[in-house]
Amino acid sequence: MADQATWSEAHVRRLFWRAGFGATPAEAARFVHAGKDATIKWLLSSGSGTLRGAPPSVEGKPLDPTNEWGHDVLWWLDRMVRSDRPLVEKMTLFWHDHFATRDQDTPLMLRQNRMLRARSLGSFPALLRSVTRDDAMQLFLSLADSSKEAPNENFARELMELFTLGHGYSERDIREAARALTGFRARWSNRGFGGTYYDRSAHDARVKRIFGKRGRYDWQDVLELVCSHRSHAPFIVGKLWSYFTPMPLDRVTRKRLVERYRRSGLKIKPVVGAILAHPALYSDLERPDMVKSPVVFVAGALRLVGRGVDRGDWAWLLDNMGQALFRPPSVAGWEGGPAWLSTNTIRARFTAVNYLFDDGGPLAVANGAISSSLSPAEAVALARRSVGDQPTSAETNATLERMVVRFFADLKPDDWRRQQRADMCQRVLRHLLLSGPEAQLH
Amino acid sequence: MASPNVHRACSDFHQTSEATRRRYLETPLTRRQVVARGLGTGLAIYAANAISLAQILESAEAEAVAAPDAPVLVSVFLPGGCDLLDTLVPLHQYGAYADLRGRLGLREAQPLGGSGLGFHPALGKGLRGGVKGLFDQGKIGFLPGIDYANPDLSHFHSRHFWDTGLVTSRRATGWLGRWLDHNGSPDNPLQGISMSSGLSPLMRSGSKPVAAVSSPNDAQFWIPGVWGEGFDRAMETYGELASRRPTPPGPAAAASAARMARTVADRLMPYRSDDNGVDPLAPPVVYPQDNELGKRLSHLAGMLSLPLGIRVASVEAAGDFDTHDNQPQDLERNLTDVSEALSAFQADLEARGLANRVLTFVWSEFGRRAQPNESRGTDHGAGGVAWVQGTRARAGVLSDYPELTKLDAQDNLAVTIDFRRVYCSLIEQWLAADAGAVIPNAAGFGRLRLVA
């Protein structure tokens, strides 16, 4: 139980992994001093945050997220690394996964991303309205040009199944809601897509029957109906909970969070605040049990080694790890959890760490740089300092120290290769602290 | 706003993306190239000196030698819900078909033997007449109307049912993973492979190891500036860190993925391209260009030719069959890719002498609504299409084609065969195992002859 009195660096680190992208040693020290309540309040405070430090450049040029392949990914990754409001980026990522959209023009995706960020901790109904009117979403789920003559059910179905309810509705509700959602149109010209608009003449104004109620519903009515449906609050509360902790959500806590959400008028921030303060978030601090998503893995590693987004490789490396931002696999988003890790994606994570080891970078070990007379504990401690002083379990420490001994076991004290081995050993230690099984967890 | 002065036309964007991806993904850096690019400080090239190459080959070959002709089942998933009516056109009900699909329908469907059905012309594309050619050669058995009773029209629910072989929303292992749990080896992750970055849900197992592999090249580990004995120590230690058996699902997944990734790397090491880019598994036939499914199937055929003990494999097509809009163009493009890729794969298996032990099952999570929507597309429906393919597949049209004049209460096609009947039949007739251990209530689904 983490009250103000027992608030430690381990608590800060856990909170910053779950609510952000890891805590640097400086952050861990600062927020252990601030205390639990003040730290959570700081994370939740409004505004989308400012970016610290110099803006990134790749191959000597500033990022061009609209035109260059992968720069949209780098642009967002940079925000995760440099934002002083990590929770806002983490929640933007949550909504990108929740309202997963893909296969749309980059400018539309970037505009959607800014909208999600601005609304990430605000009112859910306001967010849902913005998502429904969002051009990328309208095109992706065929809401644009769904007309009264032939309503397209795509958006109506995902609205209930994935966005707001999960269960508690029928096929008929979907069909009737699809009729109520008609009326949006896309403007097309020889210059391509020109935005969406509402055309009353394309809307089905007749009576519909949704969730047992009858009315001449339109799109705004449908959004109100789903938000006031009894399944909505438990659904969204459960999804937010499992974003922050793999612990099961017990009945009492669920009820408390649902009440809090409803009393606030369906606002996100009070629920997230309550989850971040819950003891379940701080269970078993020495044995993290939640799998990092690939972007959290990368952004966290960059922050811990003190490095910005300065190479374009992260875009395709993230793709290999199974999380291409702006291209979720489907409208259901990423499966997440243990499913992030297969033989292929864990090897991709191992390979990605290689890209932190280039010459001159903070992890580089020049030939001859490491004393060959370091004790195993000293060698491990040196490596640990280079990766942001992240603690590891006693078993991992012991395994790494045994490795240091084995590195020199076949060499006599005066063998000329001892220096070479000391350098290599330090590279391997740093690598395994970032790439080993324990580094996949937070 | 997507006006051209803000955003250099979309096609440019996609070309850049494809070119960049290809540059990185298809020619993974060898250690020598890595050194040349200044990423590493070492000069030597690691050559598998600690883990004896012979040892790796022996262990893999042991299983393959024990069962050299063990049959292999390949699943090819067409994501999004492939339309039955325009893929396998009911020429024998042409009037009703034209009434329904008038604006959308195909007028140039190619008649399919004496079956009363016709092919989407895109299925004639590819080596030796594409999928149509395979049908004419007696290597395809179609399963129109495949689905399950009271179909759920959600992609995710339906796909989950097909993946697990259970019509339930509970989390569950995949049906191929479950088959491995009962019949697989305790230490060969390559027995069940997903040709993808993540593991296919079909292959998710309870106790037996499985792997996701995109190609032997992509399975290897390296660390810049670390080689020889140093690299051996690194990988031993990585293995030791992964040897623990924690119980919570996250830590368990991290340890087992790391452990199995190492095994896969060791086993595939001899088959990666050499430093001159020469691919020892280069296919003996020409695969289509720019076809992601073809590329995955080509890597799979190469690995099937090796003594790796592969028993079940899963490949997902890259296209999107969720044709809510512009079905005529999108379906044509997707079926062309499928036809070209599958016909090349079949020719490849035959050229490598593997054809008699590989059966391919092609499926999609549901069919589409008989009546089109206003966006020149079709919404989610029931009664889809699947097929078995191979030299030992039973050829023909193996299930009843749904009657277009007898739609169900939701205006959907009738379901004429349950997918679990097909699963049970594949398990018994092809994998020669007990279907009851894999599919609950297996006895209740009946069987259909799928193997000639």
Side-chain angles (χ1 to χ4, degrees):
Chain A
M1 177 78 199
D3 53 22
Q4 298 284 13
T6 59
W7 187 245
S8 67
E9 289 204 2
H11 289 87
V12 177
R13 281 200 198 89
R14 169 63 63 82
L15 176 62
F16 270 64
W17 273 121
R18 299 287 176 83
F21 307 89
T24 62
E27 285 165 336
R30 175 182 160 197
F31 288 101
V32 75
H33 181 71
K36 181 182 181 186
D37 293 347
T39 303
I40 292 176
K41 197 169 162 219
W42 178 83
L43 283 168
L44 290 167
S45 58
S46 45
S48 60
T50 51
L51 301 176
R52 287 172 292 198
S57 83
V58 168
E59 289 161 8
K61 285 182 289 189
L63 295 183
D64 183 355
T66 313
N67 296 306
E68 290 288 336
W69 183 85
H71 281 206
D72 48 353
V73 174
L74 303 178
W75 171 82
W76 194 1
L77 183 66
D78 172 58
R79 292 197 64 97
M80 295 173 185
V81 173
R82 292 199 298 133
S83 171
D84 68 357
R85 284 290 176 276
L87 177 62
V88 170
E89 295 307 319
K90 200 73 178 265
M91 285 305 298
T92 309
L93 183 61
F94 174 83
W95 295 120
H96 176 47
D97 178 62
H98 185 80
F99 294 115
T101 309
R102 57 169 291 154
D103 297 335
Q104 306 306 315
D105 253 7
T106 307
L108 300 185
M109 293 300 294
L110 292 172
R111 183 135 41 98
Q112 183 191 70
N113 184 265
R114 292 190 182 96
M115 179 271 288
L116 295 176
R117 181 172 296 101
R119 297 207 176 279
S120 63
L121 284 162
S123 141
F124 182 84
L127 171 63
L128 187 63
R129 269 195 301 280
S130 296
V131 166
T132 304
R133 300 228 54 165
D134 179 71
D135 286 342
M137 177 59 84
Q138 287 229 343
L139 294 174
F140 180 50
L141 291 186
S142 321
L143 188 55
D145 294 334
S146 169
S147 68
K148 63 182 172 192
E149 288 81 15
N152 190 311
E153 292 165 13
N154 210 356
F155 183 83
R157 179 180 304 282
E158 309 314 358
L159 173 70
M160 294 186 197
E161 179 179 344
L162 298 171
F163 299 164
T164 61
L165 303 179
H167 60 88
Y169 57 89
S170 66
E171 277 292 313
R172 176 180 175 151
D173 292 327
I174 292 172
R175 289 186 185 213
E176 297 281 291
R179 288 177 51 216
L181 285 160
T182 54
F184 291 102
R185 285 197 177 281
R187 204 176 273 115
W188 296 96
S189 71
N190 52 11
R191 284 160 43 124
F193 174 69
T196 56
Y197 63 103
Y198 196 70
D199 173 2
R200 205 160 290 284
S201 72
H203 171 64
D204 182 341
R206 292 169 301 165
V207 171
K208 298 104 188 165
R209 187 159 184 271
I210 304 175
F211 308 145
K213 302 189 186 90
R214 291 167 58 85
R216 295 182 183 277
Y217 298 131
D218 67 7
W219 70 275
Q220 311 209 46
D221 299 322
V222 172
L223 301 192
E224 277 173 33
L225 283 166
V226 293
C227 287
S228 54
H229 190 287
R230 66 184 186 291
S231 298
H232 171 61
F235 170 80
I236 205 77
V237 157
K239 187 148 179 196
L240 283 165
W241 174 270
S242 59
Y243 187 61
F244 293 103
T245 170
M247 301 279 281
L249 176 56
D250 66 86
R251 251 194 27 247
V252 175
T253 307
R254 180 188 294 270
K255 192 155 168 277
R256 200 163 54 79
L257 292 172
V258 162
E259 275 164 16
R260 197 179 173 96
Y261 179 58
R262 287 187 176 140
R263 255 203 328 275
S264 74
L266 309 190
K267 290 202 170 62
I268 306 301
K269 189 187 286 189
V271 179
V272 170
I275 295 171
L276 296 183
H278 196 281
L281 203 81
Y282 306 94
S283 68
D284 238 344
L285 288 174
E286 295 74 36
R287 299 195 171 275
D289 55 356
M290 193 170 186
V291 177
K292 292 174 191 168
S293 80
V295 276
V296 172
F297 178 79
V298 170
L302 288 170
R303 283 169 48 76
L304 290 176
V305 305
R307 177 167 191 163
V309 173
D310 55 6
R311 57 190 315 152
D313 303 287
W314 299 114
W316 65 268
L317 288 167
L318 278 168
D319 199 355
N320 285 5
M321 290 180 248
Q323 193 175 30
L325 294 172
F326 302 107
R327 287 193 291 121
S330 77
V331 63
W334 289 279
E335 186 179 346
W340 283 123
L341 298 174
S342 70
T343 54
N344 209 0
T345 55
I346 201 163
R347 187 206 34 81
R349 290 181 184 217
F350 188 99
T351 305
V353 170
N354 290 345
Y355 288 78
L356 293 168
F357 277 81
D358 46 356
D359 291 340
L363 289 186
V365 175
N367 290 335
I370 303 297
S371 161
S372 58
S373 56
L374 291 181
S375 73
E378 286 168 334
V380 173
L382 179 64
R384 191 186 307 288
R385 278 199 296 283
S386 75
V387 298
D389 262 335
Q390 287 294 293
T392 40
S393 67
E395 295 99 307
T396 293
N397 292 341
T399 301
L400 294 177
E401 289 182 18
R402 275 200 302 278
M403 180 188 80
V404 177
V405 174
R406 283 208 309 274
F407 246 87
F408 301 94
D410 60 328
L411 302 182
K412 293 199 169 68
D414 58 345
D415 193 302
W416 63 274
R417 287 171 296 181
R418 288 185 75 84
Q419 178 60 54
Q420 196 183 55
R421 291 282 178 87
D423 297 336
M424 267 199 233
C425 180
Q426 185 61 213
R427 290 176 193 128
V428 173
L429 286 169
R430 293 176 181 196
H431 199 290
L432 292 179
L433 283 170
L434 291 169
S435 66
E438 233 169 82
Q440 315 305 325
L441 305 165
H442 66 349
Chain B
M1 212 354 274
S3 64
N5 53 348
V6 179
H7 175 213
R8 279 179 239 143
C10 248
S11 56
D12 275 1
F13 172 75
H14 289 298
Q15 275 160 16
T16 319
S17 94
E18 279 311 304
T20 312
R21 276 171 54 77
R22 225 171 290 134
R23 192 165 77 235
Y24 283 115
L25 299 181
E26 286 188 7
T27 53
L29 306 183
T30 63
R31 254 163 233 102
R32 186 175 292 160
Q33 287 167 319
V34 167
V35 171
R37 288 178 192 202
L39 283 172
T41 48
L43 288 167
I45 290 161
Y46 176 68
N49 32 11
I51 323 148
S52 134
L53 206 61
Q55 214 178 341
I56 297 162
L57 286 167
E58 270 166 29
S59 75
E61 274 166 6
E63 276 152 48
V65 166
D69 298 317
V72 178
L73 181 63
V74 175
S75 155
V76 174
F77 172 52
L78 311 181
C82 182
D83 183 43
L84 168 63
L85 294 186
D86 288 356
T87 300
L88 207 54
V89 181
L91 294 178
H92 66 305
Q93 307 179 55
Y94 196 80
Y97 171 72
D99 287 347
L100 280 168
R101 291 288 171 95
R103 284 164 304 161
L104 209 60
L106 289 167
R107 278 165 199 86
E108 53 299 332
Q110 303 176 12
L112 184 59
S115 67
L117 302 179
F119 265 113
H120 191 295
L123 290 177
K125 303 219 173 115
L127 289 180
R128 303 181 206 158
V131 164
K132 180 178 187 303
L134 291 173
F135 182 87
D136 293 340
Q137 296 154 38
K139 294 173 190 165
I140 282 191
F142 278 111
L143 297 159
I146 190 166
D147 216 317
Y148 51 93
N150 303 314
D152 184 315
L153 302 188
S154 146
H155 289 294
F156 317 102
H157 294 170
S158 269
R159 165 130 199 227
H160 179 70
F161 301 160
W162 282 78
D163 281 338
T164 59
L166 310 165
V167 178
T168 166
S169 56
R170 280 186 298 116
R171 280 187 71 83
T173 50
W175 75 282
L176 295 177
R178 219 158 44 244
W179 178 78
L180 286 170
D181 282 338
H182 291 283
N183 302 281
S185 123
D187 58 7
N188 178 16
L190 288 163
Q191 62 192 327
I193 59 171
S194 297
M195 304 300 294
S196 54
S197 75
L199 188 71
S200 161
L202 280 171
M203 213 57 79
R204 194 166 296 154
S205 60
S207 58
K208 300 289 169 63
V210 291
V213 179
S214 37
S215 82
N217 293 322
D218 294 340
Q220 302 306 313
F221 286 86
W222 53 280
I223 300 175
V226 178
W227 65 91
E229 289 84 355
F231 187 74
D232 295 344
R233 296 294 91 76
M235 292 320 292
E236 281 161 24
T237 308
Y238 185 69
E240 199 176 316
L241 293 171
S243 67
R244 289 181 216 129
R245 310 276 170 143
T247 43
S256 96
R259 215 161 45 234
M260 292 308 154
R262 248 195 103 206
T263 308
V264 169
D266 291 349
R267 290 211 170 170
L268 294 179
M269 170 119 53
Y271 311 115
R272 71 202 163 104
S273 299
D274 66 21
D275 287 347
N276 301 316
V278 175
D279 178 4
L281 301 181
V285 303
V286 179
Y287 275 81
Q289 294 286 306
D290 297 325
N291 184 320
E292 192 60 35
L293 176 63
K295 199 166 79 190
R296 292 171 196 169
L297 289 169
S298 144
H299 288 144
L300 175 60
M303 286 199 271
L304 287 172
S305 71
L306 303 172
L308 297 171
I310 296 172
R311 297 300 313 278
V312 286
S314 152
V315 189
E316 182 168 332
D320 183 356
F321 289 82
D322 195 19
T323 46
H324 287 281
D325 313 275
N326 297 318
Q327 176 160 314
Q329 291 86 336
D330 290 354
L331 187 63
E332 158 137 42
R333 193 182 57 243
N334 287 319
L335 288 179
T336 300
D337 282 354
V338 165
S339 183
E340 291 181 345
L342 283 172
S343 53
F345 180 58
Q346 192 61 40
D348 188 352
L349 295 175
E350 289 171 21
R352 291 181 195 265
L354 301 168
N356 284 339
R357 60 185 195 90
V358 179
L359 187 71
T360 303
F361 176 57
V362 184
W363 60 281
S364 192
E365 72 268 38
F366 46 56
R368 307 200 73 81
R369 196 73 49 80
Q371 184 83 45
N373 63 24
E374 197 65 7
S375 327
R376 290 166 39 88
T378 51
D379 289 325
H380 304 177
V385 59
W387 67 87
V388 285
Q389 168 181 324
T391 49
R392 292 183 53 202
R394 181 179 159 212
V397 179
L398 309 181
S399 55
D400 293 334
Y401 201 98
E403 288 188 44
L404 302 195
T405 50
K406 290 186 184 162
L407 301 180
D408 72 7
Q410 277 78 46
D411 292 334
N412 278 318
L413 298 174
V415 175
T416 57
I417 179 166
D418 193 293
F419 72 97
R420 289 162 293 182
R421 181 174 184 173
V422 173
Y423 285 5
C424 291
S425 306
L426 288 170
I427 292 167
E428 288 177 357
Q429 298 162 26
W430 187 248
L431 297 173
D434 172 21
V438 179
I439 306 293
N441 309 316
F445 293 110
R447 301 292 184 267
L448 179 68
R449 195 159 63 79
L450 296 174
V451 176

